[in-house]
Amino acid sequence: MALVLYSWDTNRNAFKALIAAEYSGVQVDLVQNFQMGVSNKTPEFLKMNPIGKVPVLETPDGPVFESNAIARYVTRLKPDNPLYGSSLIEYGHIEQWIDFASLEIDANISRWLYPRLGFIVYLPPAEEAAISFLKRALEALNAHLASNTFLVGHAVTLADIIMTCNLYGGFTGIMTKSFTSEFPHVERYFWTMVNQPNFSKILGVVKQAEKVPPVQAAKKPAQSKEAAKSKPKEAKKEVHKEPAKPKAEAADEEEEAPKPKPRNPLDLLPPSKMILDEWKRLYSNTKTNFREVAIKGFWDMYDPEGYSLWFCDYKYNEENTVSFVTMNKIGGFLQRMDLARKYAFGKMLVIGSEPPYKVKGLWLFRGQEIPKFVLDECYDMELYDWVKVDISDEAQKERVSQMIEDQEPFEGEALLDAKCFK
Ligand SMILES: N[C@@H](CCC(=O)N[C@@H](CS)C(=O)NCC(=O)O)C(=O)O
C-alpha cells in the first residue's frame, strides 16, 4: 500500500514520516511537484487540512495531518513495531519525549528562528525568552543523553526520529557550533542519529548552521521603547553579531522610518545587454525546436562581459545511491538559491540509469565571479567543484547547450532528472 505525503522535499516535519517509513518497511511517496504556498492553498488540499499546513498524509482511509500524528500512523502500520518500544513504560517514555521534542525543543527553535526569517514579528524580549527556554530544554536533554545512547531503551524509537528531525531544524537553521557546544551529549546524539543509514537516506548530508540568520530588515517591526529598553544585554551580545551601537543612535533608529535595504553589489555593475528575465521567458516558452529557438536565442543574448557561465560537479557522487533522495537534495539546493533569482539561471542534471547517480550542473551568474552572497548564504555551493566555462572553446559551449537542453543521452548516459532554476 503506497501512501502519499504532501510536502516539499526538505521539510523537517515530512522527514519524520519518511524516516519512520524506512525503519518500518512502509512505502511513503512524496507527492510530485509540490509548491509550498500554492499546492497547500487549493480547495482539494484544504479539504485534507483546513488550515493549509504541511505535511499531510493521504491514506486509503482518508487524510491525516500533523507531522507527529502522521509519523505515528506510519509506525503503527507495522505490527509490534520496535519503534514503539517493548513495554508499556517504554511506550510512555516514547510519547513523553515526542511531546518534549515538539513543545520544548521545536517550538522554541521556531520562536527563535521564524522571526529572524521574517515569518513572524521580531521582538528582542520574545527572542530572549525563546533562547532561554530552549537552553533549559537542551540542558535536560543533554543530561539524559549523558548516560543514554537513545532516548528510550537500547535502540532507535519513534522518539529519536521526531527529536532528531526537530533538532535538525535547529542545527541547520540557527543553532551554530558555538551554541550547541554547551550541550556535547546532544551534539554527539544528533550527529550519531543523522548518520544512521535510515536517517541519512532521507536527510542526505547535514550541515550545521554557520551563523545565526540576521533579522530580515524589511520585516523588522516597529518596537515600543519599553521593549527596546528591556532588551537584555546578555542575549543581545550573544545573538546579534553586529557591534553594539552608541545609545543615541540606537534610540534614533526607533523613531526613523526603516532604512532602505543596501543594494546588492551586482546591481552596481555596468548595465548588460542581456536581460535575464527575457532569457528565462524564452526558455520557459519554447516548447518545440528547442535547439533552433531557445539555444540559439541564448547564445544571441549571452553577454560574456555582464555574465559568466559555470559548470558544477557534485563532489560526493558515491553517496547518491537513492534516486529520490538525490533529487530531493537538488530540490533543496534550488530552494536555497532563491536568494539569487534576480542574478542567476541554473540547470541541474541527475545523470545515470542506476545508482550511484552523478549530479552536474550549469549556472549563469551576473558578473564574472560566483556572487559572494551566494557562496556565503547557500551552503550547497561547497558541495560542488566549480569551473568557469571558457566560451572560446566550442566543446565547452556545446556542453552548455546540451545542459540547457537536457540533451539525452548526456555524456553517454541517461538522465534521471533535470531541474531548472529560473
Ligand atoms: N504542527 C504542525 C506544524 C506544521 C507547520 O507549521 N507547517 C508549516 C511548514 S513547516 C506550514 O505548513 N506553514 C504554512 C502556513 O502556516 O500556512 C505539524 O507538525 O505538522
Side-chain angles (χ1 to χ4, degrees):
M1 177 188 53
L3 300 157
V4 180
L5 190 63
Y6 288 77
S7 172
W8 75 97
D9 52 11
T10 53
N11 180 358
R12 72 186 188 292
N13 283 328
F15 289 154
K16 298 172 184 174
L18 294 172
I19 296 168
E22 291 295 329
Y23 275 98
S24 310
V26 172
Q27 193 182 339
V28 176
D29 297 323
L30 268 181
V31 71
Q32 295 284 307
N33 303 324
F34 185 89
Q35 244 189 305
M36 189 59 185
V38 178
S39 313
N40 60 319
K41 305 281 179 214
T42 62
E44 296 74 36
F45 189 91
L46 295 173
K47 257 190 223 155
M48 297 197 294
N49 182 355
I51 64 169
K53 285 203 177 189
V54 174
V56 170
L57 183 73
E58 195 175 38
T59 84
D61 300 310
V64 180
F65 58 79
E66 284 294 329
S67 61
N68 292 350
I70 296 170
R72 290 180 173 108
Y73 175 95
V74 168
T75 300
R76 289 195 51 179
L77 286 171
K78 176 175 170 164
D80 299 324
N81 195 331
L83 286 183
Y84 259 132
S86 55
S87 63
L88 183 59
I89 188 65
E90 282 197 356
Y91 167 78
H93 287 153
I94 289 166
E95 292 293 350
Q96 160 198 298
W97 284 113
I98 289 176
D99 282 357
F100 186 88
S102 303
L103 302 170
E104 304 297 337
I105 304 281
D106 190 60
N108 287 313
I109 292 172
S110 301
R111 284 181 198 127
W112 182 15
L113 178 61
Y114 288 175
R116 289 190 158 258
L117 299 181
F119 296 169
I120 47 176
V121 72
Y122 172 75
L123 293 169
E127 176 171 82
E128 193 223 355
I131 295 172
S132 126
F133 290 141
L134 177 60
K135 284 188 168 181
R136 181 181 67 174
L138 289 172
E139 261 160 38
L141 181 61
N142 196 55
H144 180 73
L145 292 172
S147 51
N148 293 282
T149 306
F150 302 100
L151 287 175
V152 182
H154 301 287
V156 169
T157 65
L158 186 58
D160 296 302
I161 295 176
I162 291 178
M163 179 68 83
T164 302
C165 290
N166 289 341
L167 288 171
Y168 173 95
F171 270 80
T172 58
I174 196 160
M175 293 178 354
T176 58
K177 176 74 188 151
S178 73
F179 178 87
T180 59
S181 56
E182 257 186 66
F183 313 103
H185 303 297
V186 175
E187 285 184 330
R188 188 251 314 136
Y189 167 79
F190 177 73
W191 294 113
T192 307
M193 296 306 300
V194 298
N195 284 305
Q196 301 290 311
N198 285 332
F199 280 74
S200 64
K201 218 168 154 181
I202 303 299
L203 303 176
V205 181
V206 178
K207 209 169 160 265
Q208 186 159 15
E210 277 169 10
K211 60 179 186 205
V212 173
V215 178
Q216 296 267 328
K219 305 252 170 99
K220 195 173 170 186
Q223 49 176 237
S224 71
K225 284 197 172 166
E226 281 62 38
K229 271 187 210 137
S230 69
K231 208 183 284 181
K233 281 196 186 116
E234 205 188 300
K236 190 178 171 201
K237 197 169 68 197
E238 186 174 313
V239 172
H240 297 271
K241 300 287 181 203
E242 313 88 37
K245 291 200 174 97
K247 257 188 185 166
E249 192 191 332
D252 280 347
E253 222 174 43
E254 284 165 39
E255 312 297 338
E256 275 173 17
K259 292 203 169 65
K261 264 191 181 172
R263 291 182 77 186
N264 187 307
L266 296 182
D267 295 330
L268 305 175
L269 290 176
S272 167
K273 72 174 174 75
M274 182 175 194
I275 311 294
L276 191 58
D277 277 345
E278 260 172 34
W279 155 242
K280 291 184 178 181
R281 261 196 304 279
L282 177 68
Y283 175 89
S284 304
N285 295 339
T286 309
K287 306 288 179 226
T288 53
N289 294 336
F290 200 84
R291 255 292 155 159
E292 294 72 29
V293 181
I295 300 295
K296 177 170 183 316
F298 176 79
W299 290 116
D300 289 346
M301 288 178 188
Y302 181 61
D303 163 20
E305 278 164 21
Y307 285 84
S308 52
L309 285 161
W310 296 81
F311 290 129
C312 67
D313 198 345
Y314 192 62
K315 291 183 196 167
Y316 310 103
N317 282 323
E318 70 287 351
E319 286 171 5
N320 296 331
T321 53
V322 180
S323 57
F324 82 93
V325 177
T326 309
M327 295 192 280
N328 285 354
K329 214 156 33 182
I330 295 167
F333 173 30
L334 297 193
Q335 253 177 21
R336 287 182 281 280
M337 284 296 279
D338 194 48
L339 77 174
R341 205 163 295 280
K342 263 177 71 186
Y343 310 100
F345 168 87
K347 204 65 200 265
M348 295 296 298
L349 306 181
V350 183
I351 302 161
S353 42
E354 52 192 57
Y357 303 98
K358 298 187 194 83
V359 177
K360 296 181 188 212
L362 166 79
W363 286 83
L364 170 75
F365 289 118
R366 183 79 167 98
Q368 290 307 307
E369 299 302 328
I370 299 177
K372 185 171 177 315
F373 75 94
V374 171
L375 293 170
D376 288 348
E377 303 288 329
C378 185
Y379 68 78
D380 307 71
M381 298 300 286
E382 64 191 48
L383 305 177
Y384 292 82
D385 288 319
W386 292 88
V387 176
K388 195 172 188 176
V389 177
D390 172 3
I391 59 159
S392 66
D393 175 346
E394 281 306 319
Q396 293 194 33
K397 251 182 109 171
E398 173 56 22
R399 189 169 189 258
V400 169
S401 302
Q402 291 182 6
M403 293 184 103
I404 298 178
E405 197 182 1
D406 311 338
Q407 181 172 300
E408 203 172 0
F410 179 78
E411 298 180 339
E413 290 189 85
L415 290 182
L416 176 73
D417 195 18
K419 288 192 198 298
C420 183
F421 175 87
K422 54 184 171 40

